[in-house]
């Protein structure tokens, strides 16, 4: 239960329990910072006390701590490394699965974590997904060197309050290679990701959300005697419910969902 509800102010963290070392970032900022590639992790490297890694990945080093100490949260649920082609145990990668078209204003913590954050000693990225347009249906298509993605959002029914937001992205280089346009002779990065956020407000039972983010990626390099294949899959789905108990307090409940894959692995 959260009490002492306050209105959001500029440059204040969204989580009211954050008092220091927790500037929030807006989606607009990820599109303005030079070299961020619409990636919130690369944008965060511009903050004081934060730096990136020289290997081209979006690992975050905060005050000299290991980037493996980063905690990623999505809508309040702890998630694994949300990056394509990420190494085992790492917290970064060359391409983010989190699409900027799906993100809402979020918190980035560099220290002095409140009690509701755990399993982290370096920093915390508390990511929020934006809600879709509940008044009219909209579509968008974007193409870039990293990927080509399409989005759809709108109400489930005309005049209703419920909304959906879905985004799918596929590797542009892999698409060009499939039609015979060779940009890279070997080691073509193939990746795809899907994100969605379904919102169902009710009059008396609060607001329900069903959300998820997932990505598949692999890259293969052929040598004289063997083929080296490196691939990483990641996914998380969750359900949340929020209801106001009175004017200044509310109760929020989260349920992560576990999904078995055909090869026996599990997404949770």
């Amino acid at each position: 239960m959260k009490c002492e509800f306050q209105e959001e102010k500029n440059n204040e963290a969204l989580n009211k329990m954050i008092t220091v070392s927790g500037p929030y970032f807006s989606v607009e900022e990820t599109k303005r910072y030079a070299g961020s590639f619409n990636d919130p992790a690369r944008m965060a490297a511009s903050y004081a006390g934060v730096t990136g890694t020289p290997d081209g990945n979006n690992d975050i080093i905060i005050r000299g701590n290991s980037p493996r100490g980063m905690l990623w949260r999505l809508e309040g649920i702890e998630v694994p490394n949300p990056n394509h082609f990420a190494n085992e145990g790492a917290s970064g990668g060359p391409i983010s699965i989190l699409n900027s078209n799906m993100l809402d204003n979020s918190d980035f913590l560099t220290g002095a974590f409140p009690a509701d954050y755990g399993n982290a000693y370096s920093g915390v990225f508390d990511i929020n997904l934006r809600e879709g347009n509940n008044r009219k249906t909209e579509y968008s298509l974007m193409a870039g060197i990293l990927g080509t993605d399409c989005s759809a959002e709108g109400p489930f029914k005309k005049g209703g309050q419920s909304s959906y937001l879905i985004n799918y992205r596929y590797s542009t280089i892999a698409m060009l290679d499939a039609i015979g346009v060779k940009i890279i002779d070997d080691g073509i990065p193939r990746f795809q990701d899907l994100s969605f956020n379904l919102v169902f407000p009710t009059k008396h039972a609060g607001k329900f959300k069903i959300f998820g983010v997932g990505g598949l990626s692999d890259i293969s390099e052929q040598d004289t005697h063997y083929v080296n294949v490196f691939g990483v899959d990641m996914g998380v789905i969750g359900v949340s419910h929020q209801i106001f108990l009175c004017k200044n307090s509310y109760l929020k409940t989260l349920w992560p969902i576990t999904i078995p894959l055909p090869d026996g692995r599990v997404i949770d």
Side-chain angles (χ1 to χ4, degrees), residues 163-222:
S163 66
Y164 64 88
L165 173 62
I166 303 174
N167 179 275
Y168 175 76
R169 178 174 57 173
Y170 192 83
S171 169
T172 301
I173 297 178
M175 292 175 59
L176 294 175
D177 180 74
I179 61 177
V181 179
K182 295 290 184 181
I183 297 180
I184 302 175
D185 292 333
D186 195 13
I188 298 174
R190 306 179 186 275
F191 66 88
Q192 56 184 318
D193 50 63
L194 175 69
S195 307
F196 64 90
N197 188 24
L198 313 179
V199 183
F200 305 94
T202 63
K203 290 184 178 180
H204 305 292
K207 179 187 291 187
F208 293 86
K209 286 186 180 182
I210 304 175
F211 57 90
V213 173
L216 308 174
S217 59
D218 67 82
I219 185 171
S220 60
E221 296 181 352
Q222 186 171 0

Side-chain angles (χ1 to χ4, degrees), residues 2-262:
K2 300 286 186 180
C3 297
E4 299 180 0
F5 177 78
Q6 303 176 12
E7 293 184 0
E8 178 186 335
K9 299 179 181 180
N10 292 334
N11 299 323
E12 275 193 5
L14 302 180
N15 188 334
K16 300 307 176 182
M17 299 299 293
I18 301 173
T19 56
V20 296
S21 301
Y24 88 101
F25 71 92
S26 65
V27 178
E28 185 180 1
E29 287 180 314
T30 65
K31 300 179 180 180
R32 288 186 174 184
Y33 277 69
S36 65
F37 297 103
N38 294 339
D39 184 350
R42 297 184 191 276
M43 181 212 67
S46 301
Y47 289 156
V50 183
T51 185
T53 56
D55 58 2
N57 288 348
N58 61 4
D59 295 276
I60 301 174
I61 300 174
I62 301 175
R63 301 189 181 99
N65 288 307
S66 170
R68 296 192 177 189
M70 279 292 303
L71 170 67
W72 290 91
R73 296 215 317 183
L74 179 69
E75 290 287 336
I77 294 179
E78 183 176 340
V79 300
N81 186 349
N83 290 282
H84 292 295
F85 309 107
N87 292 320
E88 183 178 0
S91 63
I95 302 174
S96 176
I97 293 177
L98 300 172
N99 194 305
S100 62
N101 293 329
M102 294 288 300
L103 302 184
D104 200 354
N105 296 344
S106 305
D107 285 328
F108 173 61
L109 289 75
T110 59
F113 312 137
D116 53 340
Y117 298 107
N119 299 327
Y121 59 85
S122 176
V124 176
F125 244 122
D126 196 351
I127 301 292
N128 295 314
L129 299 177
R130 71 178 181 90
E131 298 182 5
N133 192 333
N134 61 3
R135 295 183 179 180
K136 64 177 181 178
T137 303
E138 297 180 318
Y139 304 96
S140 66
L141 176 65
M142 297 180 60
I145 189 63
L146 291 181
T148 300
D149 65 89
C150 54
S151 302
E153 61 180 299
F156 281 99
K157 67 176 182 178
K158 188 175 181 180
Q161 297 297 316
S162 300
S163 66
Y164 64 88
L165 173 62
I166 303 174
N167 179 275
Y168 175 76
R169 178 174 57 173
Y170 192 83
S171 169
T172 301
I173 297 178
M175 292 175 59
L176 294 175
D177 180 74
I179 61 177
V181 179
K182 295 290 184 181
I183 297 180
I184 302 175
D185 292 333
D186 195 13
I188 298 174
R190 306 179 186 275
F191 66 88
Q192 56 184 318
D193 50 63
L194 175 69
S195 307
F196 64 90
N197 188 24
L198 313 179
V199 183
F200 305 94
T202 63
K203 290 184 178 180
H204 305 292
K207 179 187 291 187
F208 293 86
K209 286 186 180 182
I210 304 175
F211 57 90
V213 173
L216 308 174
S217 59
D218 67 82
I219 185 171
S220 60
E221 296 181 352
Q222 186 171 0
D223 202 346
T224 306
H225 303 291
Y226 62 90
V227 176
N228 183 23
V229 180
F230 173 72
V232 177
D233 300 340
M234 173 269 178
V236 59
I237 296 178
V239 178
S240 69
H241 172 247
Q242 179 176 311
I243 184 171
F244 278 87
L245 304 177
C246 58
K247 181 179 179 181
N248 296 324
S249 64
Y250 66 88
L251 178 66
K252 186 174 183 178
T253 309
L254 299 168
W255 298 278
I257 299 176
T258 300
I259 302 176
L261 297 177

